[in-house]
Amino acid sequence: MTDYPAARTADDFRTNLAAVRARIDAAAEGAGRDPGEVRLLPVSKTVESDRLRNAVAAGCDWFGENKVQEVKRKHAELEDTGVKWAVIGHLQTNKAKDVAAIADEFQALDSLRVAEALDRRLQMLGRGIDVYVQVNTSGEESKFGLHPDDLAGFLTELPAFSSLRVRGLMTLAALSSDAERVRRCFRLLRDLRDRARDRDPDLVGPGELSMGMSGDYEVAIAEGSTCVRVGQAIFGARATPDSHYWPG
């Protein structure tokens, strides 16, 4: 298991961010890609706001959060910083009001009920947000996301929700030490994006791929990721297990 020491000061964060960015750049160049195509989204779940202020001082202008209550609290505590928030965890319709009011991006869209609830709230507020459609590429029942076979039909329904700007697709790879199994998850998401583009390029917007976390983002980049969601490699190891935030 990788040891991720906790970053606390702005200098700690600058060091960790530079190290992660260097690995992103190297992975992109190794795959013959422009490193500028790959966005780094720092995932700040469990990290308290005083430390996040130091991360902002080190250059972070976005944070990703899984739980709505947590992002709601941190948004209020850090509102003066101007930092933007991406909600990357499963959303229940009764929390759509909060996401519509707070988030600049939602990366876990996987049901029409959520799309409708979000769109209704956003229309009331007169704003829109970027969304990624989550696909379950691992086949694990414990994970959220659309079945790959359901993606095409789902995408054709989304233009009805005009406040949702579809940016592309998102997935969580299998939690496995088998690198090839992980790679297959990323490759499947890329193939699904490509097939959707072939049918109608407008359905996936820019066709971005949000895939890859601290333990596998280099593999994800090799398979075409345009957004890696990195938490522990930036902030340090979490005491709370991932099962608290994601099933499986």
Side-chain angles (χ1 to χ4, degrees), residues 109-163:
L109 183 62
D110 64 357
S111 82
L112 291 177
R113 288 180 66 246
V114 169
E116 182 179 12
L118 261 182
D119 184 63
R120 184 171 64 250
R121 292 293 184 175
L122 287 162
Q123 297 286 356
M124 291 169 63
L125 294 169
R127 66 186 301 256
I129 61 172
D130 294 336
V131 298
Y132 291 70
V133 175
Q134 184 174 356
V135 183
N136 183 344
T137 56
S138 69
E140 296 168 318
E141 291 184 4
S142 60
K143 283 193 168 65
F144 292 111
L146 293 168
H147 187 283
D149 292 345
D150 296 331
L151 176 64
F154 185 79
L155 289 173
T156 64
E157 299 282 351
L158 293 184
F161 309 109
S162 60
S163 67

Side-chain angles (χ1 to χ4, degrees), residues 24-42:
I24 288 171
D25 293 355
E29 289 167 358
R33 300 180 57 201
D34 177 359
E37 295 176 353
V38 185
R39 168 191 172 202
L40 170 60
L41 176 62

